[in-house]
Amino acid sequence: MVIEVVRIGQRLVRDDRVTTHVALVARAFGCSKIFMTEVNPEIKDTLEKINNTWGGDFVVEFIDNWKSIVKMKKKDSKIVHLTMYGESINDVDMQLRKEENLLIVVGAEKVPREIYELADYNVGIGNQPHSEISALAIILDRIQKGEQFKNSFPGAKRKIIPTRNGKNVLVRGTRD
């Protein structure tokens, strides 16, 4: 399954960190790419540094128009819009696992009504206000049933080695 993310909009200043974290979650939880509109170009630099240090080839692509990407991807992917007002994740997670390709839409501010109509799935994570970062993490985990944590990131200079207590990081073939 190929999973990509499109981030629609950004609230100035406040959202640089939030958008960076949306991209970090997308990368760490198995997505191959994120499309972004209206963002600070430093976010792309940050993700390239993460790829360089922690491995992988996650792609950040700046776009001018979210609608053209969604319509293009709709030809070979299912569009999943994360929203507080959609179907419960509990009712659609098994269906999402069966899809071949997904494009997950993560809004910043109020999204245009049109995205609800373009989406194949409007999915709500919980029934209370919460972060789009957590919503993305939850849906990616549900879709992949935790298997994304077994992914390797080729070219990594650092790798976290799970331990019961403390910190264990493998750095270029040595342990810290």
Side-chain angles (χ1 to χ4, degrees):
M1 173 186 291
V2 173
I3 305 173
E4 298 174 326
V5 174
V6 62
R7 172 81 162 153
I8 297 178
Q10 174 158 306
R11 293 160 287 206
L12 292 178
V13 182
R14 174 205 178 272
D15 270 0
D16 279 354
R17 190 162 177 85
V18 171
T19 297
T20 300
H21 284 223
V22 166
L24 288 170
V25 164
R27 179 192 170 280
F29 281 62
C31 296
S32 59
K33 184 181 225 178
I34 187 167
F35 300 94
M36 296 183 181
T37 62
E38 307 169 33
V39 298
N40 180 338
E42 291 177 14
I43 293 171
K44 185 173 185 175
D45 296 337
T46 298
L47 270 292
E48 287 172 356
K49 288 176 187 173
I50 296 290
N51 280 345
N52 185 46
T53 302
W54 294 94
D57 54 3
F58 182 76
V59 175
V60 175
E61 184 176 324
F62 295 142
I63 58 172
D64 293 324
N65 184 336
W66 65 266
K67 195 182 315 181
S68 61
I69 293 295
V70 169
K71 286 183 176 181
M72 179 185 74
K73 290 291 182 178
K74 197 162 175 69
K75 294 174 188 170
D76 63 0
S77 298
K78 293 296 182 180
I79 309 303
V80 180
H81 171 222
L82 289 179
T83 172
M84 285 176 30
Y85 309 106
E87 298 177 87
S88 170
I89 183 67
N90 295 332
D91 296 335
V92 297
D93 59 349
M94 291 196 320
Q95 289 173 268
L96 293 174
R97 283 187 208 117
K98 295 175 186 174
E99 301 294 355
E100 192 172 328
N101 299 311
L102 298 174
L103 178 69
I104 300 175
V105 178
V106 180
E109 50 203 348
K110 184 176 178 180
V111 298
R113 175 76 193 147
E114 190 171 8
I115 192 60
Y116 288 89
E117 295 156 9
L118 287 170
D120 297 294
Y121 300 92
N122 288 291
V123 179
I125 309 294
N127 59 6
Q128 293 292 310
H130 58 279
S131 161
E132 58 265 38
I133 300 164
S134 63
L136 180 61
I138 289 167
I139 196 167
L140 290 172
D141 189 60
R142 286 287 189 90
I143 291 167
Q144 299 172 91
K145 299 193 300 186
E147 293 297 309
Q148 72 276 10
F149 300 125
K150 296 177 183 175
N151 291 345
S152 65
F153 289 81
K157 294 176 184 171
R158 292 186 187 165
K159 182 178 178 182
I160 295 174
I161 309 301
T163 62
R164 185 174 187 91
N165 296 312
K167 176 178 160 183
N168 190 359
V169 180
L170 185 65
V171 179
R172 296 182 197 205
T174 63
R175 291 182 185 250
D176 266 0

